[in-house]
Amino acid sequence: MSIVDTPERRQLRELTRAFVTQEVLPHLDDWERAGEVPRALHATAAKLGLLGVGFPESVGGSGGDLLDSIIVTEEVIRSGGSSGLIAALFTHGIALPHMVAAAGVGIGGSLVGRLGGTSTPGDDDLIQRYVRPTLAGTMIGALAITEPDGGSDVAGIRTTARREGDHYVVNGSKTYITSGHRADFVTTAVCTGFPGSGSVSLLVIDKDSPGFTVGRRLEKLGWHCSDTAELSFVDVRVPVANRIGAEDTGFLAIMQNFAAERLSLATQAYATAQRCVELTVRWCRDRETFGRPLVSRQVVRHRLAEMHTRAEAARAYVHEVAVRVAAGEPVVTEVAMAKNVAVAACDQVVDQALQLHGGFGYMRDAEVERHYRDARILGIGGGATEIMNEIIVKGMGL
Ligand SMILES: Cc1cc2nc3c(=O)[nH]c(=O)nc-3n(C[C@H](O)[C@H](O)[C@H](O)COP(=O)(O)OP(=O)(O)OC[C@H]3O[C@@H](n4cnc5c(N)ncnc54)[C@H](O)[C@@H]3O)c2cc1C
């Protein structure tokens, strides 16, 4: 029995599938048109324990580890959900881990729990004020790193936080922030000294802080049910108590959480590929051209075989790397390879899936059309494919 296929994890799959079937599928098209998912969905997912998967019970989570989070992500998409839904509903997966780690609480098996450092009363306070309500589905959080001048170079951020007594005064702007419109608070990367990786700190900034403006809702190619925002900070006063961990440790915190984020994106990629294989097999059985079902033609059968192989190979490799991350191995290079392998598989599969659906594949009514659009961000967000390649060549000693 595979480590990702235990009886408990099969139950988690069933719970996730039932949630998607009952609470998501009847409404997903409406949310895609509305540009966001409702807050009530967070509360429902929290009640079922799905929102807290991967977070310790001591901070309001449901327990479990990185592999459990992967199971939930995989099953949401394979049940007919989407990577856009994952982005919108599980934004806390990138907004909260730094707070949990800074409070000295390990997130089971993921690298974020091993930041080290000493927990402070302020960090425990952040757990009470932000982590618990978010995992209970009553607050929404976002993570803001990317700026208009660039996202790949995290050390190059220009949003400044100047210390004035018990406060920081924050100035700058962020862009492409997932759930930025709905978020009650934003875990924000700021520069607290001379620009560079050694001066990045993380502050939790409340939405109603004077000087904090959420700009226009950004329109996108895909992820339509996930709201994306520009944020502006003009002399925003943020209490020092809202700093996560020690000053100037933000870069390390961000890098350490990237492992979980990249594996989540890799999971979204292979799960999207798997879902598209399923949809396309079904379509090719039903659709007839020139008097025969598409699936009877060897060229189509081979294409389906290649799509299936790519999706399954990506899944196997991502699982292997996730198991190593969960065991605490420092596999930064392998995480980068897993993301690139899964994204490449997904890109090829969604393209072929749409092609085999013919004109219908280009229609909004076709589920593969949504996956085709949603998939494109996976090779850009959380570190672009080229940034993953940089990490891989370093791992190769080049
Ligand atoms: C839908 C969506 C949601 C997002 N959500 C969030 C969020 O919640 N929080 C957040 O902080 N950010 C978010 N982002 C931002 C995302 O993380 C960045 O877009 C990404 O990191 C790339 O940064 P950039 O867009 O500034 O591209 P740039 O850094 O300007 O890079 C542009 C392109 O150049 C190439 N490139 C860059 N550097 C190199 C290099 N060294 N060598 C070779 N090629 C290179 C890559 O192809 C890259 O895609 C989101 C983006 C999108 C589109």
Side-chain angles (χ1 to χ4, degrees), residues 79-161:
S79 308
S82 65
S83 58
L85 179 79
I86 296 285
L89 183 59
F90 294 88
T91 320
H92 63 281
I94 55 174
L96 298 182
H98 321 87
M99 283 186 244
V100 178
V105 186
I107 291 186
S110 88
L111 292 181
V112 295
R114 298 191 286 105
L115 271 175
T118 315
S119 127
T120 64
D123 294 323
D124 290 333
D125 177 53
L126 296 180
I127 300 288
Q128 302 305 329
R129 288 194 288 139
Y130 298 104
V131 177
R132 283 184 177 279
T134 305
L135 295 178
T138 57
M139 269 187 140
I140 293 175
L143 173 70
I145 298 173
T146 306
E147 302 187 345
D149 288 327
S152 300
D153 182 9
V154 176
I157 58 164
R158 296 181 184 186
T159 297
T160 56

Side-chain angles (χ1 to χ4, degrees), residues 91 94 142-153 175-179 220 222-223 228 261 377 379-387 390:
T91 320
I94 55 174
L143 173 70
I145 298 173
T146 306
E147 302 187 345
D149 288 327
S152 300
D153 182 9
T175 193
Y176 313 142
I177 305 309
T178 298
S179 297
K220 313 185 290 295
W223 279 15
T228 309
E261 182 179 355
I377 179 59
I380 297 172
T385 300
E386 292 82 355
I387 301 302
E390 281 299 306

Side-chain angles (χ1 to χ4, degrees), residues 84-314:
L85 179 79
I86 296 285
L89 183 59
F90 294 88
T91 320
H92 63 281
I94 55 174
L96 298 182
H98 321 87
M99 283 186 244
V100 178
V105 186
I107 291 186
S110 88
L111 292 181
V112 295
R114 298 191 286 105
L115 271 175
T118 315
S119 127
T120 64
D123 294 323
D124 290 333
D125 177 53
L126 296 180
I127 300 288
Q128 302 305 329
R129 288 194 288 139
Y130 298 104
V131 177
R132 283 184 177 279
T134 305
L135 295 178
T138 57
M139 269 187 140
I140 293 175
L143 173 70
I145 298 173
T146 306
E147 302 187 345
D149 288 327
S152 300
D153 182 9
V154 176
I157 58 164
R158 296 181 184 186
T159 297
T160 56
R162 193 181 69 252
R163 181 90 182 242
E164 271 187 15
D166 288 345
H167 285 78
Y168 287 100
V169 181
V170 177
N171 282 285
S173 54
K174 300 285 178 182
T175 193
Y176 313 142
I177 305 309
T178 298
S179 297
H181 273 270
R182 297 177 309 136
D184 302 295
F185 66 89
V186 182
T187 299
T188 311
V190 295
C191 182
T192 29
F194 192 74
S197 60
S199 299
V200 177
S201 300
L202 288 170
L203 300 179
V204 185
I205 305 184
D206 290 316
K207 189 177 201 163
D208 55 11
S209 308
F212 176 15
T213 317
V214 178
R216 69 193 170 97
R217 187 183 292 263
L218 299 174
E219 292 185 7
K220 313 185 290 295
L221 171 71
W223 279 15
H224 285 178
C225 68
S226 166
D227 56 299
T228 309
E230 287 176 334
L231 312 178
S232 156
F233 306 96
V234 179
D235 291 333
V236 179
R237 294 181 69 79
V238 180
V240 170
N242 277 28
R243 190 187 64 218
I244 302 174
E247 195 169 275
D248 298 337
T249 61
F251 188 78
L252 181 63
I254 291 166
M255 291 301 137
Q256 291 191 292
N257 195 48
F258 265 149
E261 182 179 355
R262 286 170 184 162
L263 284 174
S264 172
L265 291 162
T267 303
Q268 293 170 47
Y270 77 68
T272 298
Q274 284 186 302
R275 175 74 181 169
C276 284
V277 172
E278 272 169 34
L279 293 168
T280 309
V281 166
R282 209 181 300 160
W283 168 266
C284 290
R285 281 190 206 280
D286 292 345
R287 184 73 173 178
E288 291 195 359
T289 63
F290 303 95
R292 276 165 50 190
L294 275 177
V295 77
S296 69
R297 299 181 189 281
Q298 192 180 42
V299 67
V300 172
R301 298 166 73 81
H302 282 196
R303 206 182 285 178
L304 291 171
E306 284 164 12
M307 290 161 67
H308 182 53
T309 305
R310 286 201 172 101
E312 291 302 311

